Amino acid sequence: MPRTATARKAVLGLDVGKSSHWACLVTRDGEITLNDSVDNSEDAFDRLFSQVEPGTLVVVDQVRNIGALAIRRARMAGLEVAYLPGIAAHGAARLFAGDAKTDARDAMVIAKTALGIPDALLPVPRGDARLEAARSMAAQRNHMVTCATRDKNRLRSILLESCPPFEALADLSDPHWVRMLERLGGSWGIADAGKAAMGAVTRGADRAEMDAAWKAIAASTRPPECMVEAENPQVMMLARRTREASSEAGELDERIAGMLAGDATYGCLLTVPGIGPRTASELVIGIDIADFPDHHHLASYCGIAPRNRQSGTSISSVSASRQGNKRLKNLLIFSCNSLTRSRGRFGEYYRKCRGGGMCHGEALKAVARKRMKVIYAIMRDKVPYSA
């Protein structure tokens, strides 16, 4: 769909906004025939789309929130829609004359980039009420994961400044550690509470880990009391927020899985080695497989296809592209960690890559790329995985 933009009679670029948008209609010859503001209302969009010829491609710079209404009304008018990511639009803007930042110029850049560089466009998934609802929850889940990660990083920074040996042992993915920090504070709050209190709040944790943490505190020099007083409330607050965000993300994961339980593609993806509910849901709600002619294009979209580099007659494949959907890329690569010790085809391939001189990360990417062929076939044909 997006790759045929140059064959269109025209492209309508929309720089979407909260209360109004800017529309720029550019013909295949590069002539601007419409350049005006559009209110963010159904009537305004319907009037706009009634002015363009059938076959015009509508290109937006956001597909969620403020871009949702424009996409819905364009499709109701029988027009196809594509998406130009903001980072691509920003880079393309430097190719055009002038450096002003206006809605009119942004809409023009979107439209002309779609005509001249159709490979920069991404598909916009087709509307499905159930998938849209799951996608909405997934966006909130991703926000909670981001919040938890941010708070963990801040928490580590405080612990590192106070007691580096203790921070090195802290496993913030373990709820026992998070509960201990939330209840007792930082390393010196734990020391003041005593080993018995530490054991009480971490009941069920690995005792060897907890003993090592206690010894790390005992072997370190206590900072001034004012620093301890400043550390403990921060640690408790950040640990609480980390726990809450992680818990809410988990609840949303369960709701998303329940909502997609009847989806054939989702069920088939769960049969692929290393693919769990989180990765399966992201694939289902983020990809319309009909937009990808083969697994190479899907791998490129997910950012796990190697880049080719050519100089003269020399052609080589280098590391995976930094473009593509970063969330899917990370999920697809890190989910391969569970395959490294398996006896299946992907585990064997991982060991083969390692034996060929690849480091762990490179081998994981290679396995993710190989598994993409299976993922593509399963999403296309809606059949379970078979070894």
Side-chain angles (χ1 to χ4, degrees), residues 74-313:
R75 283 178 167 161
M76 290 184 68
L79 302 174
E80 291 191 22
V81 185
Y83 165 50
L84 181 67
I87 189 170
H90 179 72
R94 290 178 289 185
L95 301 176
F96 294 86
D99 59 0
K101 179 68 173 70
T102 65
D103 293 342
R105 184 173 186 272
D106 289 345
M108 180 271 294
V109 168
I110 292 169
K112 290 194 172 182
T113 300
L115 278 171
I117 317 176
D119 284 346
L121 301 180
L122 296 177
V124 178
R126 285 284 172 183
D128 178 299
R130 178 174 42 79
L131 291 182
E132 286 299 324
R135 188 175 291 116
S136 174
M137 286 196 293
Q140 179 63 20
R141 184 266 317 280
N142 294 335
H143 171 69
M144 300 315 299
V145 170
T146 299
C147 290
T149 301
R150 178 199 62 205
D151 290 335
K152 285 179 183 179
N153 290 338
R154 175 60 185 154
L155 185 51
R156 284 202 173 277
S157 176
I158 294 172
L159 296 176
L160 181 62
E161 184 176 358
S162 175
C163 185
F166 177 82
E167 185 276 332
L169 295 170
D171 181 3
L172 299 184
S173 64
D174 185 339
H176 297 98
W177 278 88
V178 176
R179 183 168 61 248
M180 175 175 65
L181 295 171
E182 181 183 359
R183 299 274 185 85
L184 305 180
S187 52
W188 306 110
I190 296 170
D192 292 340
K195 192 172 183 180
M198 177 184 182
V201 299
T202 59
R203 189 172 290 111
D206 186 313
R207 295 325 313 167
E209 285 186 5
M210 293 299 124
D211 288 342
W214 182 262
K215 290 177 182 177
I217 297 171
S220 301
T221 302
R222 187 182 180 99
E225 287 305 311
C226 60
M227 297 298 295
V228 174
E229 292 175 4
E231 173 191 354
N232 285 331
Q234 294 182 74
V235 169
M236 291 177 177
M237 177 184 65
L238 290 168
R240 173 179 53 79
R241 286 168 44 173
T242 297
R243 175 184 54 78
E244 291 174 347
S246 298
S247 175
E248 290 170 5
E251 290 176 10
L252 288 168
D253 273 327
E254 292 178 2
R255 289 181 177 273
I256 293 168
M259 186 167 288
L260 297 177
D263 186 272
T265 303
Y266 176 77
C268 291
L269 283 171
L270 290 176
T271 66
V272 180
I275 298 292
R278 172 86 183 278
T279 305
S281 66
E282 287 284 358
L283 286 167
V284 169
I285 66 181
I287 290 175
D288 184 349
I289 200 65
D291 290 322
F292 301 92
D294 52 48
H295 64 85
H296 299 294
H297 286 85
L298 180 58
S300 178
Y301 172 70
C302 294
I304 59 175
R307 294 172 294 171
N308 287 333
R309 179 173 293 167
Q310 178 177 1
S311 179
T313 59

Side-chain angles (χ1 to χ4, degrees), residues 1-12 26-28 54-59 79-83 111-123 126 290-291 293 297:
M1 173 191 68
R3 298 181 187 281
T4 61
T6 52
R8 304 280 177 176
K9 292 181 179 179
V11 170
L12 179 65
V26 181
T27 67
R28 187 166 52 189
T56 296
L57 179 66
V58 178
V59 182
L79 302 174
E80 291 191 22
V81 185
Y83 165 50
K112 290 194 172 182
T113 300
L115 278 171
I117 317 176
D119 284 346
L121 301 180
L122 296 177
R126 285 284 172 183
D291 290 322
H297 286 85

Side-chain angles (χ1 to χ4, degrees), residues 336-356:
C336 289
N337 272 304
S338 63
L339 305 175
T340 58
R341 292 187 176 87
S342 74
R343 297 183 179 180
R345 59 189 290 197
F346 298 117
E348 292 295 332
Y349 186 67
Y350 170 82
R351 288 184 284 276
K352 180 181 177 181
C353 291
R354 292 286 278 151

